[in-house]
């Protein structure tokens, strides 16, 4: 079992920035692909960003490309999401997710069903 704990959410004005953190526990954090998803009320959970294990390649959802940056620090068992130029439509609960090391070191899962573990979520609210 991998436990994930998100932090850093809050209320921010449009155009502002937030940095989310996800602290992970469990066996061999460096062996997990990591991702961020978000879910707004009444909508499906949406892929935001992902980062592979080993190689550390990244991928982003179309709606956040150029604005958000995912990174990881394996020494701290932590993955980050830097969010810049925030828009009201970014308002959602943001979830950290992990995929166990049963895959290529370059693979970045983008579907909810491709992840094994989930955090409890942290609320991000962007006001106009």
């Amino acid at each position: 079992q991998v436990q994930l704990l998100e932090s850093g959410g809050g209320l921010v004005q449009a155009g502002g920035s937030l940095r989310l953190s996800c602290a992970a526990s469990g066996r061999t954090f460096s062996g997990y692909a990591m991702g961020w998803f978000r879910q707004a009320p009444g909508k499906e959970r949406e892929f935001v960003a992902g980062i592979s294990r080993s190689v550390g390649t990244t991928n982003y959802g179309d709606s956040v490309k150029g604005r958000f940056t995912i990174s990881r620090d394996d020494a701290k068992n932590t993955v980050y999401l830097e969010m810049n130029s925030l828009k009201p439509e970014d308002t959602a609960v943001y979830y950290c997710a992990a995929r166990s090391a049963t895959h290529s070191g370059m693979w970045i899962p983008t579907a909810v069903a491709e992840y094994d573990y989930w955090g409890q979520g942290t609320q991000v609210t962007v006001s106009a």
Side-chain angles (χ1 to χ4, degrees):
Q1 174 78 352
V2 175
Q3 297 183 35
L4 306 173
L5 181 61
E6 302 97 333
S7 62
L11 176 64
V12 65
Q13 289 186 292
S17 300
L18 283 174
R19 188 193 197 200
L20 305 184
S21 298
C22 174
S25 64
R27 183 179 62 83
T28 315
F29 171 80
S30 62
Y32 300 119
M34 301 295 298
W36 288 96
F37 290 75
R38 66 188 183 187
Q39 188 165 24
K43 301 183 69 176
E44 296 292 314
R45 193 164 296 191
E46 174 191 17
F47 174 75
V48 174
I51 185 166
S52 72
R53 69 179 184 90
S54 184
V55 177
T57 53
T58 59
N59 192 23
Y60 299 91
D62 289 341
S63 64
V64 306
K65 286 180 179 177
R67 299 189 297 123
F68 292 8
T69 302
I70 187 171
S71 61
R72 67 191 297 162
D73 187 338
D74 289 347
K76 297 181 179 179
N77 280 20
T78 302
V79 63
Y80 304 95
L81 184 68
E82 297 181 34
M83 305 186 294
N84 300 312
S85 301
L86 284 162
K87 306 173 181 179
E89 51 262 46
D90 295 319
T91 295
V93 176
Y94 282 71
Y95 296 92
C96 178
R99 167 75 187 215
S100 60
T102 57
H103 56 273
S104 166
M106 297 181 66
W107 184 52
I108 304 171
T110 59
V112 169
E114 293 176 319
Y115 284 86
D116 300 310
Y117 306 103
W118 295 86
Q120 83 289 345
T122 185
Q123 177 71 47
V124 172
T125 302
V126 184
S127 64

